[in-house]
Amino acid sequence: MPARRETSPDAAAAAAPARPTGEGCAVYEAIHGTALDIAGKGIANPIALTLSAAMMCHDLGHADAYRRIRRGIAAVTQKRRAELTPDLGGSGTCASVTEAIIQEMRALPPV
C-alpha cells in the first residue's frame, strides 16, 4: 500500500499536522519549513505538532483525548488570539501557547 499523507484543514497552511501512513505504521509530524529565522527564540507555533498528537490519539482509539485536545486548541485560537505565536498575529511563545491549550483542556467538562 502506498504511503498516504493526511493533513488537518484547521491548521495554518504554513504549519500543518500530517500523518504519513504505510503498511502497519504511521508517523505523526508537523509539516512546515525549517524556520531558521526563529530558531532558539521560543516562538515556534506548537499547534501543528499538538494536532499531530491528537491524530495519534484518535488512531490509537483514544477518541476522548482527541476531542479534548482539539477543543483546547479551538478555544485558544478563537478566544485567546492575542496569546498565539507571532506567525498567527499574537505575541505568545511556544511555551505560553502550549500552556494556554492545557488550561483550556483542563477547563473542559469531564467526558
Side-chain angles (χ1 to χ4, degrees), residues 6-102:
E6 284 190 34
T7 57
S8 172
D10 60 356
R19 173 182 54 213
T21 58
E23 194 167 327
C25 67
V27 176
Y28 301 85
E29 61 184 347
I31 53 172
H32 49 69
T34 57
L36 296 175
D37 58 323
I38 64 168
K41 296 181 181 178
I43 58 171
N45 181 342
I47 293 175
L49 189 58
T50 306
L51 285 170
S52 294
M55 283 194 285
M56 182 177 66
C57 289
H58 181 272
D59 289 353
L60 294 173
H62 300 286
D64 292 342
Y66 165 78
R67 284 190 294 273
R68 195 168 201 78
I69 293 168
R70 297 211 27 131
R71 288 179 184 151
I73 291 170
V76 172
T77 59
Q78 293 168 12
K79 301 186 306 188
R80 299 170 71 166
R81 296 198 58 77
E83 297 178 57
L84 295 172
T85 49
D87 63 312
L88 296 178
S91 59
T93 64
C94 182
S96 68
V97 172
T98 302
E99 183 58 35
I101 293 168
I102 292 167

